[in-house]
Every structure is written in C-alpha cells, then in structure tokens.
Amino acid sequence: MSSVNTITEYQFSFTINSDSGENDGGFLLTSLAGVTDEIALGIVQSFNAQPWPHGVVNPMSVTKQDLENRVYSTNMNATPPDFS
C-alpha cells in the first residue's frame, strides 16, 4: 500500500558583494521544521534589513517548492516481490 507525503521546501540564497570580493551562501528549511510562508519571508526581510557596512550589497531571496512524494511499501510475499 502506498501513502503520499507532502512537504514544503524554502530555499534561501544570498550573495554578499563588497570591494574585497563576492561570497555566495544559502540554506534550506522545510515545513517539517515548522517553517511557514510567514517565517520564510520574515527571515528574508530581517536579513535584508541588516545595517551592512558601506559598499556591501547583500540581497537575499527565497524560493518555495511544494513537494509530493508517494511512498510504497514492499510486499516480499508476492511472487515476484513488488512494491504496493
């Protein structure tokens, strides 16, 4: 028998540009950790509102992806064995 699991991923990415160069970064949070749209957008707003030194540009963005996975159990007693 199969079941459907649903999860929302929020992928954060940012680039910090300054006179000394460029640094990229990012991280992933999910609804399994309790993250909601409001929390994800708040993280970006807070990051972008930080008082960075003069000449430093640090835009952060977030993308949202809803994922649906079907999980199958194994029937090893079937001939031949299968996923159901």
Side-chain angles (χ1 to χ4, degrees):
M1 174 174 269
S2 66
S3 61
V4 176
N5 296 336
T6 303
I7 185 173
T8 300
E9 289 184 347
Y10 299 92
Q11 183 175 356
F12 300 83
S13 59
F14 57 91
T15 301
I16 298 176
N17 294 305
S18 68
D19 294 338
S20 62
E22 178 179 303
N23 293 294
D24 297 324
F27 55 94
L28 180 76
L29 297 174
T30 70
S31 56
L32 294 176
V35 178
T36 62
D37 290 359
E38 183 179 14
I39 291 171
L41 295 171
I43 290 170
V44 173
Q45 287 176 322
S46 296
F47 185 91
N48 288 338
Q50 293 303 305
W52 296 90
H54 178 73
V56 175
V57 180
N58 66 321
M60 176 185 268
S61 62
V62 61
T63 57
K64 174 183 172 181
Q65 185 174 15
D66 292 324
L67 303 172
E68 188 175 280
N69 299 301
R70 182 167 299 278
V71 179
Y72 298 88
S73 58
T74 307
N75 182 354
M76 296 304 291
N77 294 322
T79 306
D82 64 8
F83 293 100
S84 55

